[in-house]
Amino acid sequence: TGAQQSATVANPASGASPDLLPHFQLEPEDVYIVKNKAVSLACRATPATQIYFKCNGEWVHQGDHVTQHSTDRGTGLPVMEVRIEVTRQQVEKIFGLEEYWCQCVAWSSSGTTKSQKAFVRIAYLRKNFEQEPTAREVSIEQGIVLPCRPPEGIPPAEVEWLRNEELVDPALDSNVYVTPEHSLVLRQARLADTANYTCVAKNIVARRRSASAAITVYVNGGWSTWTQWSGCSTSCGRGWQKRSRTCTNPTPLNGGAFCEGQNVQKTACTTLCPVDGAWSEWSKWSECGAECTHWRSRECSEPAPRNGGRDCHGPELDTRNCTSELCTHAAPGAEDVALYVGLVAVAVCLVLLLLVGLLVYCRKKGGLDADVADSSILTAGFQPVSIKPSKADNPSLLTIQPDLSTTTMTYQGSLCPRQDGPAKLQLPNGHLLSPLGAGRHTLHHSSPAAEGADFVARLSTQSYFRSLPRGTNNMAYGTFNFLGGRLMIPNTGISLLIPPDAIPRGKIYEVYLTLHKQEEVRLPLAGCQTLLSPIVSCGPPGVLLTRPAILAMGHCVEASAENWSIRLKKQSCEGTWEDVLQLGAEPCTELYYCQLEAQACYVFTEQLGRFALVGESLSMAASKRLKLVLFAPAACPSLEYNIRVYCLSDTQDVLKEVIQLEKQLGGQLIGAPRVLHFKDSYHNLRLSIHDMPSSLWKSKLLASYQEIPFYHIWSGLQPFLHCTFTLERLSTSTCELACKIWVWQVEGDGQSFTVNFNIAKDTRFSDWLVPDEVGTPALVGPSAFKIPFLLRQKIISSLDPPGTRGADWRTLAQKLNLDSHLSFFASKASPTAMILNLWEARHFPNGNLSQLAAAVAEVGKQDGALFSEAEC
């Protein structure tokens, strides 16, 4: 047969065009064999004298071809079409060696042409899913991920999801999303999502169903507001009254927890019994008067009516006619005139006494200099004041006797003379650090509390102490008066600035600042909300501040108005978290304000308490900053070696905790930390290790990568998330390790760490990562501020009043790039003080006073008429 076929190929028919190569009008295509059904392959070419199939490099027998001859109507050239059938047995003969393919070859007088290869595959679909969805119970508005990995099959199976046997279509429901890995994602669980979910895989061979997974969306109950107190149960005497609430806000559903606590409250009450009034005895009759009448009276006083009792009925005065020698009509006598004159004299004396008292009071008020309080600082310094014990019903004012020993800070310079006219600031061309001239003026401030243990012991007597962390590692505290000061928790970026005059004069408060570990405080998050900052407390709560203190803390958000809704939350005395401010919106209260910068936020607050910054993503483009840090043991006595990769929120406080933890574990830092932008895309974070020399090391991990679930990272409530890569060196003499660690979010950008270090070398822990902050945790009085106290007062008095051509605090805010906060500054009594306080919070201790001096000087130059050339 082969010889015959070769002869046929060598002698083409004479009817073909001698100048054209054959081209294919129809080429064979890939096909799948389903069960035992044979498949057909066809091809057609023109001009063609012969056409045959070749499968896996061998010619198909001529008898297996079905050939048809025709002529192309347009060109008149001969056309040949051929078909063959391929059976399952033919494909299975070479199964496991290579794929089965067929190709068509056509001849003309000019030569041969080959078609594309068509692959013939046996279709199948396994029965068992590689991963099936499992039943879950979730709270309403919580995200759900149902995984599904379909069975192996050729062609690969397509996946669809059924909810109660009805097809789930993401195009019709924006709350539903199917990942490329076939997982079903419900962004926020709704009550309607309670159902049985089934993953269905199908191809041309079969359709497979996974086991159904029951998803139950439950709602935890919440109390309604209390009703009004009922009336007292008795109308007279001791009784009780009650109020109630119901677990209907919301009502628990689908097994959700019932409300904790009482639904009825009772309290004792006492209702005073009503006493009806009764008349006293009649008085004696009066003398018969000039009108020939006399009278008698009685009072409703035995007893008098009280507590709602009835009043007496009847007249209280009784008159009747009488006759006597006095019963005549006479003119008023001298006695009546004397009485009227005496009454007028008494009235005149009372008016004169009132005028004298008013003059004395006005003289005392007008004789006091408005600057006496401030000028006393220059003469006698801050003097200790007597502290009266606080009332029992005011626990916020501490009654502890503070340490009133004083330390002195002296400034050299001359005092600028007071100028007449508008109180504008006259600035020299010199440095802002020498504002006072040749004299010596002293400012005193009180010292901070002596020992942390004593402070905590005193603090433990207060009711709010139960919610504060034990120990003083993450706490700063101090005693403050009207001069103000600041508290700092080292290496965390957290500080509290108490500006001058924020504490009323004559008051001394012991103030604390604490950083909470996230497992100590329950901060409920819902939906797409995430914790963006540390949880910080400052107190004691209820302290009276006349000006806002500034709380500074880090955050990890890449803020943008279109991607984020960011709120400042504060915990109430009852323990619930409340939104007190939405960033970017008009504040509903003047008690709080927040300036959000790239790495930190500054919270203005007139009420101390517990604060946290919480964000809610508005789109999947919203991202948080993660800090990726690698640690490994400094010494390796065994063959096994671990590399720990931490994925932390990019704030200093979390990094500080990890460093302290690794110091206890004997870990050393590998390389510099990296920053990864983690998006709200519902995709997990994956980590893998590569490029490790296989002749020296091997990985003990079974999988090619490790994964941290999306919600564990996004919530921000699990601070120390990490993966451990366990490696094994093949010899104890191996001391060098060189590899790469990849960290990426699925369908997102990634980061690569190049790891190259010596295990045997005694590497000391890298302290440069978080350098120690300069100064002490508590600074009181002038030492806590960069701007000298007297110069600060001068700037405030000069720039607060409106100036011509805008030479006032508004221009200073513009020079310091704070003009976006003008409405907040304008709502305060001293806008300039708010600007200087914010500058102190942002730039302590390394702020550049020269830049501030230049900004203030430029404000002065805008209004030359109000600034004279005098030296300070």
Side-chain angles (χ1 to χ4, degrees):
T1 305
Q4 179 184 356
Q5 187 167 344
S6 299
T8 304
V9 172
N11 296 287
S14 59
S17 174
D19 298 327
L20 297 176
L21 285 173
H23 70 274
F24 287 94
Q25 296 177 340
L26 174 66
E27 296 189 69
E29 297 181 350
D30 296 347
V31 291
Y32 294 95
I33 296 177
V34 179
K35 297 182 180 179
N36 293 321
K37 296 180 181 180
V39 295
S40 177
L41 297 176
C43 67
R44 182 171 63 247
T46 182
T49 57
Q50 293 188 23
I51 185 167
Y52 293 98
F53 270 99
K54 197 179 201 180
C55 293
N56 280 63
E58 296 183 1
W59 293 104
V60 177
H61 194 280
Q62 186 176 6
D64 295 333
H65 291 74
V66 178
T67 307
Q68 293 182 351
H69 295 270
S70 61
T71 302
D72 190 301
R73 294 182 179 180
T75 62
L77 298 176
V79 178
M80 291 189 69
E81 182 174 350
V82 65
R83 293 179 182 272
I84 63 169
E85 286 191 349
V86 181
T87 64
R88 185 186 185 101
Q89 290 78 9
Q90 290 175 266
V91 177
E92 287 180 341
K93 284 182 181 180
I94 63 167
F95 187 78
L97 300 177
E98 57 181 324
E99 288 189 303
Y100 193 93
W101 58 269
C102 293
Q103 186 179 34
C104 198
V105 182
W107 284 265
S108 71
S109 61
S110 299
T112 62
T113 305
K114 295 180 180 180
S115 72
Q116 66 182 8
K117 289 183 178 180
F119 290 90
V120 182
R121 300 180 176 91
I122 298 175
Y124 68 93
L125 183 63
R126 305 290 186 203
K127 291 185 178 181
N128 297 326
F129 281 73
E130 295 184 11
Q131 186 178 11
E132 295 185 285
T134 57
R136 292 181 59 187
E137 294 183 355
V138 297
S139 174
I140 193 168
E141 296 186 352
Q142 180 180 342
I144 307 174
V145 179
L146 292 175
C148 176
R149 295 173 61 187
E152 180 185 355
I154 293 179
E158 298 179 355
V159 172
E160 61 185 18
W161 284 87
L162 301 179
R163 178 197 285 131
N164 287 344
E165 302 304 321
E166 293 185 1
L167 181 65
V168 177
D169 189 356
L172 301 178
D173 189 351
S174 60
N175 193 49
V176 177
Y177 173 71
V178 179
T179 68
E181 293 81 15
H182 310 300
S183 297
L184 180 66
V185 177
L186 302 180
R187 291 185 170 91
Q188 289 184 317
R190 304 160 298 191
L191 289 177
D193 294 325
T194 298
N196 292 323
Y197 289 82
T198 307
C199 181
V200 179
K202 61 181 180 179
N203 65 5
I204 60 176
V205 178
R207 176 186 175 97
R208 311 289 189 203
R209 292 167 56 97
S210 70
S212 294
I215 299 300
T216 302
V217 181
Y218 62 87
V219 179
N220 291 326
W223 289 115
S224 64
T225 56
W226 288 102
T227 62
Q228 297 292 328
W229 287 104
S230 66
C232 200
S233 60
T234 60
S235 59
C236 177
R238 186 174 180 81
W240 55 268
Q241 57 184 158
K242 68 176 182 178
R243 63 176 182 174
S244 61
R245 58 181 179 176
T246 58
C247 190
T248 56
N249 188 29
T251 303
L253 294 173
N254 297 336
F258 196 77
C259 304
E260 296 182 0
Q262 298 177 343
N263 64 339
V264 176
Q265 285 185 345
K266 291 186 178 182
T267 184
C269 59
T270 302
T271 304
L272 298 176
C273 297
V275 177
D276 295 336
W279 292 112
S280 62
E281 295 291 333
W282 285 103
S283 64
K284 294 182 179 181
W285 288 101
S286 66
E287 297 293 334
C288 192
E291 293 83 4
C292 299
T293 60
H294 62 168
W295 53 269
R296 63 177 182 174
S297 64
R298 59 180 179 177
E299 296 179 353
C300 189
S301 59
E302 293 186 3
R306 60 181 183 270
N307 305 329
R310 293 190 298 271
D311 204 354
C312 301
H313 293 286
E316 60 180 354
L317 187 65
D318 183 21
T319 61
R320 66 182 180 182
N321 295 329
C322 61
T323 57
S324 70
E325 65 277 2
L326 296 179
C327 184
T328 58
H329 295 283
E335 294 84 357
D336 296 332
V337 174
L339 176 61
Y340 296 147
V341 172
L343 291 175
V344 172
V346 169
V348 172
C349 292
L350 290 176
V351 171
L352 291 176
L353 288 174
L354 181 61
L355 291 175
V356 171
L358 184 61
L359 290 175
V360 171
Y361 175 76
C362 293
R363 177 165 297 183
K364 288 184 178 181
K365 288 289 288 183
L368 290 178
D369 187 2
D371 294 333
V372 166
D374 291 338
S375 63
S376 64
I377 301 174
L378 302 177
T379 56
F382 170 70
Q383 299 296 332
V385 297
S386 59
I387 306 175
K388 299 180 180 180
S390 64
K391 298 182 180 179
D393 58 350
N394 190 5
S396 63
L397 301 181
L398 302 180
T399 59
I400 306 163
Q401 183 67 29
D403 181 8
L404 294 180
S405 60
T406 59
T407 58
T408 302
M409 297 193 64
T410 304
Y411 296 95
Q412 298 285 342
S414 63
L415 186 65
C416 296
R418 183 183 299 271
Q419 299 182 8
D420 296 329
K424 283 293 176 181
L425 179 64
Q426 179 183 356
L427 290 175
N429 295 326
H431 198 275
L432 192 61
L433 280 175
S434 1
L436 301 181
R440 294 175 59 90
H441 307 281
T442 303
L443 300 178
H444 297 268
H445 64 84
S446 61
S447 65
E451 297 292 341
D454 295 339
F455 181 85
V456 174
R458 294 195 300 271
L459 200 65
S460 63
T461 62
Q462 307 298 322
S463 60
Y464 51 80
F465 179 75
R466 294 191 302 270
S467 62
L468 296 180
R470 303 299 181 260
T472 58
N473 291 334
N474 286 324
M475 175 182 287
Y477 44 85
T479 304
F480 298 92
N481 54 33
F482 74 96
L483 291 175
R486 73 175 65 233
L487 294 173
M488 297 177 291
I489 302 178
N491 302 327
T492 63
I494 299 172
S495 65
L496 178 67
L497 177 74
I498 304 174
D501 292 326
I503 296 176
R505 295 176 182 254
K507 299 289 186 181
I508 297 179
Y509 295 148
E510 278 195 334
V511 182
Y512 64 82
L513 176 67
T514 64
L515 167 65
H516 293 273
K517 294 183 178 179
Q518 290 159 355
E519 60 269 19
E520 296 173 345
V521 179
R522 178 173 175 80
L523 176 61
L525 299 177
C528 300
Q529 289 184 344
T530 174
L531 181 63
L532 301 176
S533 72
I535 301 175
V536 181
S537 290
C538 52
V543 162
L544 176 63
L545 296 179
T546 58
R547 293 185 179 181
I550 302 179
L551 176 64
M553 54 187 178
H555 66 80
C556 61
V557 63
E558 291 296 312
S560 57
E562 65 274 10
N563 294 333
W564 284 99
S565 172
I566 303 176
R567 290 177 169 84
L568 177 68
K569 285 185 174 285
K570 182 175 183 290
Q571 192 174 30
S572 65
C573 298
E574 291 79 14
T576 58
W577 287 87
E578 301 172 347
D579 294 339
V580 296
L581 182 67
Q582 180 175 356
L583 275 64
E586 287 296 328
C588 58
T589 174
E590 296 183 356
L591 296 177
Y592 309 98
Y593 188 77
C594 182
Q595 180 187 353
L596 190 69
E597 297 188 352
Q599 301 288 334
C601 64
Y602 299 91
V603 179
F604 292 77
T605 174
E606 296 182 16
Q607 293 183 354
L608 303 184
R610 185 168 301 159
F611 297 92
L613 204 64
V614 172
E616 183 173 2
S617 61
L618 302 179
S619 71
M620 297 177 69
S623 65
K624 294 175 58 176
R625 292 192 313 275
L626 298 185
K627 180 153 287 185
L628 307 176
V629 191
L630 274 65
F631 288 93
C636 182
S638 64
L639 295 177
E640 190 173 282
Y641 197 71
N642 295 324
I643 297 178
R644 292 180 290 275
V645 184
Y646 288 86
C647 303
L648 314 173
S649 297
D650 187 16
T651 55
Q652 293 185 34
D653 59 293
V654 181
L655 189 58
K656 172 186 175 182
E657 293 289 335
V658 171
I659 290 176
Q660 292 175 348
L661 175 63
E662 282 293 331
K663 283 185 177 181
Q664 297 173 1
L665 297 176
Q668 66 175 354
L669 178 70
I670 305 176
R674 306 288 181 89
V675 173
L676 176 71
H677 296 276
F678 189 76
K679 293 185 178 181
D680 182 21
S681 62
Y682 300 94
H683 292 301
N684 300 337
L685 192 70
R686 289 183 178 176
L687 303 93
S688 60
I689 189 167
H690 305 276
D691 300 343
M692 186 171 52
S694 58
S695 60
L696 301 176
W697 294 85
K698 70 176 182 178
S699 174
K700 300 186 70 174
L701 297 178
L702 300 178
S704 59
Y705 60 85
Q706 299 188 66
E707 202 165 55
I708 302 178
F710 168 82
Y711 290 102
H712 290 184
I713 298 176
W714 189 255
S715 68
L717 298 177
Q718 302 186 37
F720 306 139
L721 291 171
H722 70 279
C723 285
T724 300
F725 291 96
T726 303
L727 311 178
E728 184 177 0
R729 51 181 174 169
L730 303 182
S731 172
T732 54
S733 61
T734 301
C735 295
E736 298 288 339
L737 174 61
C739 61
K740 284 187 177 180
I741 294 179
W742 275 96
V743 183
W744 76 101
Q745 190 176 9
V746 180
E747 293 190 354
D749 298 329
Q751 293 282 345
S752 170
F753 288 82
T754 300
V755 179
N756 192 347
F757 62 99
N758 192 324
I759 299 172
K761 185 178 179 181
D762 183 15
T763 304
R764 300 175 60 185
F765 191 85
S766 299
D767 291 326
W768 59 266
L769 184 59
V770 182
D772 292 335
E773 293 181 357
V774 180
T776 58
L779 295 173
V780 182
S783 62
F785 304 97
K786 295 283 291 183
I787 307 172
F789 183 83
L790 296 179
L791 183 59
R792 168 192 169 89
Q793 298 300 105
K794 190 67 176 177
I795 295 175
I796 292 173
S797 62
S798 300
L799 299 186
D800 269 351
T804 60
R805 293 192 293 274
D808 54 20
W809 62 270
R810 295 175 180 81
T811 306
L812 178 61
Q814 183 180 8
K815 299 294 182 184
L816 299 178
N817 297 321
L818 299 175
D819 46 340
S820 60
H821 310 289
L822 293 181
S823 59
F824 168 70
F825 297 146
S827 66
K828 299 302 177 183
S830 175
T832 310
M834 295 297 102
I835 297 174
L836 298 181
N837 294 342
L838 181 57
W839 188 92
E840 291 279 9
R842 296 170 65 191
H843 296 90
F844 189 87
N846 301 317
N848 191 334
L849 276 175
S850 299
Q851 294 180 354
L852 178 62
V856 177
E858 289 182 14
V859 177
K861 291 178 182 178
Q862 292 188 7
D863 195 356
L866 297 179
F867 289 83
S868 61
E869 295 294 334
E871 294 185 357
C872 289

